[in-house]
Amino acid sequence: MTRLARQLPVRSPDMDPSRSFTNAKEAVAYLQELYALSTNFLRGKFQKVLSDGAPHVRYRAFYPEIRIATTSHDVIDSRLSFGHVSEPGIYSTTVTRPDLFQHYLTQQIDLLITNHGVPVHVGPSRTPIPVHFAVLNDADLTVPQDGAMPFALRDFFDVPDLSTTNDDIVNGHGFKNEDGSGPLAPFTAQRIDYSLARLSHYTATDPEYFQNHVLFTNYQFYVEEFVAYGREMLRDPDSGYTALVGPGNQVITDPDAPLEEPAKLPQMPTYHLTREGDGGITLVNIGVGPSNAKTATDHIAVLRPHVWLMVGHCAGLRNSQSLGDFVLAHAYLREDNVLNDDLPVWVPVPALAEVQIALEQAVADVSQVSGYELKRIMRTGTVASIDNRNWELRDQAGPVQRLSQSRAVALDMESATIAANGFRFRVPYGTLLCVSDKPLHGELKLPGMASAFYKTQVSRHLLIGIRAMEALREMPLERLHSRKLRSFEETAFL
């Protein structure tokens, strides 16, 4: 904050005080009321400043917050991994976009009230809303870049604060809010707002279209098959799917309607096959590399998806594998090096039984092969992810020894990153890859080979991922989000 900003009087909207609720829907409705009051105030004042010039006051509005206080060690169903606090105390979290998170907030608040038998308190927090985030969903307003206005915007409005857009809660232990309360949710409001803005930028679709089941891939061919599958589902009145959404927020409900490719594709083209209650499937083409994989999962995590899976191509490392075989990851060798500061490599990233079973069963169902015969087309084992796309061009002695010692059966650049970030963010994860080349055995991915391979395998591989997601969709959330993803000290919210 500049010296001028400290000297100006502050104007804020008149906010009602905190209220207590024993009904989750009423609590969320009040969150929406407070949030709308704050953001409408900031949008109105920002528009006034754009037209009238620099004001003589500083405008500030605040995120709403949820707060709960418990005084006893309540006996909670030990099977539950979320929906309760670990010990007596005061817990709080700031909230943004309660319209977007309405179902999630209602569910999580209801669990708190039910499990602890105490009310939740909803009111304004002490955390200012950055003006950038307040105007984010107003098509008529944009915040100019710093220096584009004749005055410094931060002198009159709050701007994003990097010190609060971090992952201290999910990465650490013993985190406390500034007022001493414990965290109630894994992300703060500013962290969520930051990611929502980045998601729109990277995927060219609004966060509201993201579904609870997310598929990641590293090839455009899967996108084309996904669009074709989506159209097929829209033709089927019994499929339960309601629309197909593409970049540019194009929404089609007619299976024959055009879905135009934008003149400028986003960095991560994303498509959503929607279903009531966000129960559909989102496909994100993250492209190649661990950096993209981290970027995508860093931001999608704030939407609290129920599960995400990687369905992409890999190098097969065993002579017994053939092009087109599947690899179900049971473990990961992390040489991607993008999460070392957030999740050290000594942290094990376990396979999740519920996801593994769903993927294996989907392979059996789609391929019509089961039991011992499944071993002919699918290997389970360690997947290694690296950050050097052309590792084969170097001396192979070191890498090959590590791959052999780890018992790796496949190598790619994204899977370990996606799984590790799923573990880090408490989002169930899994990996099913398809062998597209065998560099250690002289079978390189050449244009002619790739063409034939893609034609025969992409459709089946994608369908397996979709079938696994549909099976996981039917699983109760408390079973899918098992306790193995929770640490010693966890937030009550999922």
Side-chain angles (χ1 to χ4, degrees), residues 183-239:
L184 194 57
F187 299 107
T188 63
Q190 276 214 58
R191 169 66 165 83
I192 293 172
D193 270 337
Y194 173 74
S195 283
L196 296 182
R198 302 317 295 159
L199 275 180
S200 295
H201 171 74
Y202 286 120
T203 70
T205 58
D206 288 344
E208 66 195 66
Y209 293 117
F210 274 78
Q211 302 297 290
N212 285 325
H213 311 90
V214 182
L215 289 173
F216 295 106
T217 189
N218 50 11
Y219 283 96
Q220 179 65 21
F221 299 93
Y222 286 81
V223 172
E224 295 165 5
E225 288 294 331
F226 186 76
V227 171
Y229 179 84
R231 292 185 185 279
E232 182 182 335
M233 290 300 99
L234 293 182
R235 287 190 181 92
D236 181 0
D238 299 321
S239 72

Side-chain angles (χ1 to χ4, degrees), residues 6-76:
R6 288 193 295 269
Q7 294 174 342
L8 290 174
V10 176
R11 296 287 184 268
S12 299
D14 293 329
M15 304 285 281
D16 289 336
S18 175
R19 298 181 188 175
S20 299
F21 295 91
T22 55
N23 181 286
K25 290 184 178 179
E26 293 177 1
V28 173
Y30 190 46
L31 283 168
Q32 292 173 328
E33 180 183 330
L34 292 175
Y35 181 77
L37 181 65
S38 289
T39 53
N40 288 340
F41 172 84
L42 287 175
R43 282 197 293 267
K45 297 305 181 184
F46 181 69
Q47 199 160 29
K48 179 178 174 60
V49 168
L50 288 180
S51 60
D52 297 350
H56 299 290
V57 298
R58 181 176 180 81
Y59 297 114
R60 171 171 287 167
F62 300 89
Y63 287 110
E65 71 169 11
I66 306 168
R67 187 173 290 264
I68 185 173
T70 62
T71 57
S72 65
H73 290 274
D74 298 299
V75 179
I76 308 297

Side-chain angles (χ1 to χ4, degrees), residues 223-386:
V223 172
E224 295 165 5
E225 288 294 331
F226 186 76
V227 171
Y229 179 84
R231 292 185 185 279
E232 182 182 335
M233 290 300 99
L234 293 182
R235 287 190 181 92
D236 181 0
D238 299 321
S239 72
Y241 293 105
T242 56
L244 182 63
V245 183
N249 296 319
Q250 301 175 82
V251 181
I252 65 170
T253 55
D254 178 352
D256 298 313
L259 195 60
E260 303 293 339
E261 184 175 291
K264 183 180 180 181
L265 273 176
Q267 184 172 340
M268 300 177 190
T270 299
Y271 294 78
H272 314 275
L273 185 55
T274 65
R275 192 180 178 96
E276 185 178 356
D278 297 327
I281 300 172
T282 288
L283 178 75
V284 186
N285 180 8
I286 56 176
V288 177
S291 180
N292 279 0
K294 180 181 185 298
T295 297
T297 48
D298 276 349
H299 299 315
I300 292 174
V302 306
L303 297 173
R304 309 314 294 146
H306 294 176
V307 60
W308 61 41
L309 305 176
M310 176 64 186
V311 286
H313 292 167
C314 67
L317 300 177
R318 302 302 180 94
N319 196 39
S320 58
Q321 292 171 299
S322 300
L323 299 186
D325 282 357
F326 297 112
V327 174
L328 177 61
H330 271 9
Y332 301 90
L333 174 62
R334 293 173 51 201
E335 295 198 356
D336 49 328
N337 294 316
V338 293
L339 281 168
N340 296 359
D341 292 336
D342 294 298
L343 192 74
V345 293
W346 52 260
V347 175
V349 178
L352 306 182
E354 298 81 3
V355 177
Q356 299 298 99
I357 291 171
L359 281 169
E360 183 170 341
Q361 188 59 53
V363 174
D365 291 346
V366 172
S367 65
Q368 294 295 294
V369 177
S370 60
Y372 190 63
E373 288 300 306
L374 201 58
K375 289 181 175 290
R376 294 186 185 276
I377 63 168
M378 185 178 78
R379 289 287 299 259
T380 58
T382 297
V383 169
S385 291
I386 60 172

